[in-house]
Amino acid sequence: MDRQKILFVSYTAVLGGGELCLIDFAQAYRDTSQVVLLTDGALRQRLEELGVPVQVLASARSLADVKVSSGLMFSLKSIGELWRIGKQIANISQDSDLIHANNQKGFVVAAIARLLGGAPVVWHLHDILTANIFSATNRRVAVTLANWFATRVIVNSQATGDAFLIAGGKRQLLRTVYNGFDSQKFDQISDDQMHLRDELGIPRDRPVVGMFSRLSYWKGQHILLEAASLLTDVHVLLVGDALFGESEYTEQLKKIAAPPSLNGRVHWLGFRQDIPALMKACDAIAHCSTAPEPFGRVIVEAQLAKRPAIATVGGGTGEIIENGVTGFLIPPNDPQLLAAAIQKIFSDRIATAQMVDRAYLQAQTKFSIPSVCLAFDMAIAGIN
Ligand code: UDP
Ligand code: GLC
């Protein structure tokens, strides 16, 4: 079977989870396909390093004024901009079997491209379309466009798919494709990362709990800091930056970490690329989303790093962790329960080691790059 020609379209080029997921599929299709970015950023460089043909549509810069931070909201002027970029994408897509839109703005542009004679559109939906994040109007616009113009909607978990259906999306469009991970990137790193702890000034005998998420209220770093203030010797590693401008939240976190009880126990690392090594420098990894997480890449990464993961219930986390079997699932927004789960991990070392082994095996098979690429191939089969 000939590989399809895909025009991957991404509005954002910041390295968030959705973009890291895109890298794997674009790499798998790099011999026949290309990526068009509507903004420039670190994603372009990563794709270039991997030999994926990529171009930044400079004329799309004006889309920055089109508001999507709280979903999809269009003024007449922005509709004009979207229309113009949609026309360009339609032209570029003439040589492709399909357009793969990796985010909401990218999808709106792709839907317009389809309307103007462009290739069939696959929307890769990485978000849970629920009321606490997207207004009713935004959900209606997104789902109506999907029902009219998308040939398929790929979702990153069943939970994301369920929310799409509840918002009015058509079931026959849906295909679930999980994120994929290369376990070798974790296996090739030594399990002993004590030197990293030394560099960070963390005493070797102290328990370390890491969080590997962009700094955002939704990701819930404050919950981990509050839990740490209940556990007198635990050190916290905060890896990640405020990728989408949540600077107020960062200030709030600094205030929570300031009192003497936490002082010196919270380590701010900013955005890092050496995730496997940093995970192995931790004893446990927490994922504290305050609202349902669509998938949660860092949970699988923790499992591949052979570190116990604690995540909050809701969204796709239940498709990665079976509570007590491959990690711990706790209710969101509850620092006390998080502190109790952390204590349990450190007090029952044998049960924790068994849990970690089971989680590693599951992550290696269920979320391997070949298995998710196969699911991706099947999801787009027959489209041209
Ligand atoms: N990540 C990273 N550097 C950091 C913090 C996070 O590369 O400093 C990666 C992390 O390893 C994961 C992704 O960013 O692969 C975050 O994806 P996830 O699905 O967990 O959350 P998102 O931010 O996409 O909602
Ligand atoms: C989005 C979601 C995250 C998911 C990632 C990759 O960033 O917020 O939960 O893991 O996409 O699909």
Side-chain angles (χ1 to χ4, degrees):
M1 193 177 74
D2 285 341
R3 228 142 169 58
Q4 283 145 296
K5 292 182 191 161
I6 306 178
L7 177 65
F8 292 96
V9 176
S10 174
Y11 171 70
T12 169
V14 167
L15 290 179
E19 293 66 44
L20 292 168
C21 172
L22 172 68
I23 289 173
D24 292 323
F25 295 119
Q27 193 182 1
Y29 277 84
R30 70 181 167 191
D31 293 339
T32 56
S33 303
Q34 58 168 317
V35 179
V36 168
L37 301 177
L38 305 183
T39 49
D40 201 356
L43 176 60
R44 176 177 55 79
Q45 198 188 337
R46 278 276 191 106
L47 290 167
E48 282 170 355
E49 282 162 9
L50 294 167
V52 178
V54 53
Q55 59 168 306
V56 179
L57 211 61
S59 61
R61 243 180 249 139
S62 53
L63 282 184
D65 297 333
V66 179
K67 193 170 173 238
V68 287
S69 56
S70 57
L72 302 160
M73 278 183 50
F74 307 120
S75 64
L76 277 179
K77 180 169 170 269
S78 57
I79 288 175
E81 287 305 317
L82 289 162
W83 202 265
R84 193 173 58 77
I85 311 300
K87 181 80 197 138
Q88 279 183 281
I89 297 291
N91 289 339
I92 301 173
S93 77
Q94 292 309 315
D95 192 31
S96 302
D97 294 311
L98 62 108
I99 302 173
H100 171 282
N102 201 53
N103 29 51
Q104 308 226 6
K105 244 186 209 180
F107 171 58
V108 174
V109 166
I112 293 170
R114 179 65 176 154
L115 178 68
L116 299 175
V121 175
V122 174
W123 182 19
H124 200 142
L125 175 56
H126 294 275
D127 298 313
I128 291 192
L129 297 174
T130 46
N132 54 355
I133 302 181
F134 300 93
S135 74
T137 313
N138 294 333
R139 277 178 283 153
R140 211 172 306 124
V141 171
V143 165
T144 306
L145 284 180
N147 288 346
W148 284 357
F149 297 110
T151 303
R152 301 276 149 75
V153 175
I154 293 179
V155 284
N156 57 0
S157 67
Q158 286 165 22
T160 299
D162 290 345
F164 176 75
L165 294 178
I166 291 168
K170 286 187 194 158
R171 184 180 292 277
Q172 68 265 32
L173 295 176
L174 279 184
R175 300 288 184 279
T176 302
V177 179
Y178 290 128
N179 281 223
F181 302 84
D182 179 0
S183 59
Q184 276 188 1
K185 286 189 183 153
F186 293 81
D187 296 344
Q188 71 199 12
I189 302 284
S190 159
D191 202 53
D192 180 350
Q193 291 296 325
M194 282 300 164
H195 66 280
L196 259 179
R197 284 201 195 187
D198 297 342
E199 279 169 30
L200 296 167
I202 305 175
R204 289 185 171 213
D205 59 346
R206 293 297 161 86
V208 179
V209 180
M211 222 181 128
F212 294 74
S213 299
R214 57 198 156 89
L215 303 179
S216 148
Y217 184 86
W218 169 40
K219 295 295 181 182
Q221 278 85 0
H222 59 289
I223 306 290
L224 178 58
L225 294 184
E226 284 161 25
S229 66
L230 305 170
L231 303 165
T232 48
D233 60 346
V234 166
H235 280 243
V236 172
L237 218 60
L238 291 182
V239 184
D241 213 341
L243 288 187
F244 300 105
E246 291 101 336
S247 51
E248 256 178 53
Y249 181 66
T250 310
E251 289 312 307
Q252 195 187 325
L253 285 179
K254 298 253 158 140
K255 278 192 195 133
I256 301 176
S261 59
L262 270 180
N263 210 347
R265 290 201 284 132
V266 182
H267 307 267
W268 308 81
L269 273 62
F271 188 86
R272 299 275 294 235
Q273 307 263 17
D274 51 343
I275 300 300
L278 286 168
M279 284 193 167
K280 290 192 181 198
C282 297
D283 297 299
I285 286 151
H287 189 74
C288 311
S289 303
T290 56
E293 180 70 44
F295 178 72
R297 292 176 57 89
V298 295
I299 307 168
V300 182
E301 290 167 343
Q303 294 176 331
L304 289 174
K306 298 189 179 166
R307 293 296 179 267
I310 308 166
T312 47
V313 183
T317 57
E319 292 163 56
I320 306 173
I321 289 182
E322 190 184 338
N323 189 26
V325 179
T326 46
F328 286 117
L329 285 175
I330 57 167
N333 300 306
D334 195 328
Q336 253 130 13
L337 284 182
L338 176 58
I342 292 172
Q343 267 176 328
K344 194 168 169 157
I345 279 173
F346 293 134
S347 59
D348 198 345
R349 298 268 174 187
I350 294 174
T352 298
Q354 289 168 343
M355 191 171 78
V356 159
D357 286 345
R358 281 190 297 264
Y360 174 78
L361 287 176
Q362 176 199 266
Q364 233 195 359
T365 47
K366 189 169 175 181
F367 304 112
S368 73
I369 299 276
S371 74
V372 301
C373 281
L374 185 62
F376 185 87
D377 293 346
M378 283 163 63
I380 61 168
I383 304 178
N384 57 37

